[in-house]
Amino acid sequence: MSELVTIFLEPEMKASAAAGQHNFLAKVERVLRGGGLDVRFADEAERMAHVSGRALVHMWPPMTGDTLVMRRVYAYPFWAIEARDKRWEWAVARSDFEPESVDAQKAARFVANWRKRMFGDAVARREGFVYVPLQGRLGERRSFQAASPLEMVEAVLAAEAKRDVVIGLHPKESYAAQDIEALEQIEKRFARVTVVMGQMERYLPACDYVVSQNSAAAFFGYFFGKPAALFAQIDFHHIAANVHDLGVEAALGRVADMTPAFERYLWWFWQEQAINAGRPEAEAQIAARFRAQGWLT
């Protein structure tokens, strides 16, 4: 009898996978069955009752040592299959980026195509402000953060004397009343501060640079050549000014003038380090991830 892999999914995703309509999961299923394993799709409600056997979950923490995590790598059709759910613990986060290993023209075409696909006709420009996209829990410093989000905002205002600062709230986050009040007080203290809800597509192409904990907005900023200072651990840290490595003063002091190999990095990060489910070689990439975890021979 073949060993079973249970794939735990949210209801909508499970229905799509069970019907064979989810591109990535259809490839995952073919790879696993081709390797001699059985596959069962299960509801997320069953997940916490799982105590043994191989399992694949979508974004949740692993339940056992035989659980792997799959997660979208910031945009479809790019995916990761990892042993951990925290992005900064993924293999790519521990890998070295070598710009010279990537063909510049190939990377430029790739980035231009994806920028057009994601952002339409938006054009990169610098309009003299810093974009600070926030996530949640603004007053709290968590273990992977060098400072709380509110402390990060204060650090930006202390380090950046000439540029305006646009603080972007995440439209899908639920913010505590005291956090909103703290931002309102900052906005009152500094005439050059504007707090907005969402609108990443408006502000990202026009900013001079990005400061964030580890928001995906900083990653997408690379598509417009926007350097980033990061206050938290994450997988796309390689070309950023990392506060954990440099300290607050050094990171904020150098970020505006950084000119890393943005296009080569994005090719490396998506095409070489992630699974591109839209490419013919996707199943080979998926199989390689499972072999690396000892699931396939």
Side-chain angles (χ1 to χ4, degrees):
M1 185 175 178
S2 299
E3 187 171 358
L4 176 67
V5 176
T6 305
I7 303 179
F8 294 95
L9 301 167
E10 301 90 334
E12 185 176 347
M13 197 173 186
K14 181 198 169 189
S16 176
Q21 297 174 346
H22 193 288
N23 178 48
F24 175 67
L25 286 170
K27 289 178 167 62
V28 167
E29 183 177 11
R30 280 197 296 272
V31 168
L32 291 173
R33 293 191 185 279
L37 299 168
D38 277 340
V39 174
R40 180 176 79 94
F41 296 109
D43 289 323
E44 59 179 318
E46 300 179 51
R47 179 173 56 93
M48 296 315 297
H50 179 85
V51 294
S52 65
R54 295 183 183 179
L56 185 64
V57 298
H58 180 227
M59 295 176 60
W60 297 300
M63 299 85 69
T64 70
D66 289 330
T67 301
L68 297 179
V69 180
M70 61 180 181
R71 186 166 186 168
R72 181 168 50 94
V73 184
Y74 301 107
Y76 294 110
F78 302 98
W79 289 84
I81 297 173
E82 296 281 340
R84 298 176 176 87
D85 61 311
K86 298 178 177 64
R87 293 183 186 270
W88 54 90
E89 295 179 350
W90 288 1
V92 62
R94 303 189 301 271
S95 299
D96 294 325
F97 168 56
E98 298 178 355
E100 63 276 6
S101 70
V102 179
D103 180 85
Q105 292 184 338
K106 175 176 65 178
R109 290 193 299 270
F110 173 78
V111 171
N113 288 338
W114 274 98
R115 183 172 56 243
K116 175 74 171 178
R117 186 179 302 190
M118 294 187 296
F119 295 98
D121 295 325
V123 177
R125 56 204 186 275
R126 290 197 169 194
E127 296 184 355
F129 67 90
V130 184
Y131 181 47
V132 184
L134 297 180
Q135 293 143 292
R137 297 160 71 172
L138 303 186
E140 180 182 347
R141 176 184 174 183
R142 290 180 274 177
S143 61
F144 58 92
Q145 297 174 319
S148 74
L150 289 176
E151 290 169 339
M152 176 183 71
V153 170
E154 294 285 2
V156 171
L157 292 167
E160 177 57 77
K162 61 181 181 179
R163 293 177 174 89
D164 291 343
V165 176
V166 175
I167 300 171
L169 295 173
H170 197 295
K172 293 184 179 181
E173 287 281 358
S174 179
Y175 292 97
Q178 62 266 29
D179 290 342
I180 296 298
E181 183 179 354
L183 287 177
E184 290 173 348
Q185 290 302 315
I186 290 172
E187 201 171 17
K188 289 178 182 178
R189 283 166 47 210
F190 296 91
R192 59 195 177 97
V193 170
T194 302
V195 179
V196 300
M197 177 61 73
Q199 303 183 66
M200 178 187 75
E201 294 80 2
R202 173 183 176 183
Y203 291 104
L204 195 57
C207 69
D208 287 7
Y209 62 90
V210 178
V211 179
S212 178
Q213 293 286 343
N214 56 14
S215 170
F219 174 77
F220 291 125
Y222 294 165
F223 284 88
F224 294 100
K226 305 299 182 179
L230 301 176
F231 274 69
Q233 295 172 297
I234 195 58
D235 53 344
F236 60 84
H237 62 84
H238 306 78
I239 60 171
N242 296 299
V243 172
H244 272 108
D245 297 333
L246 303 172
V248 173
E249 184 177 353
L252 294 179
R254 71 176 61 178
V255 59
D257 299 319
M258 290 173 57
T259 56
F262 291 107
E263 293 173 338
R264 291 182 176 187
Y265 181 75
L266 289 165
W267 168 279
W268 175 81
F269 191 86
W270 262 358
Q271 291 288 75
E272 297 185 21
Q273 301 300 308
I275 298 164
N276 184 344
R279 296 284 299 168
E281 62 269 23
E283 290 187 25
Q285 293 176 328
I286 292 167
R289 299 305 195 277
F290 285 133
R291 280 195 299 271
Q293 299 294 340
W295 280 28
L296 299 177
T297 57

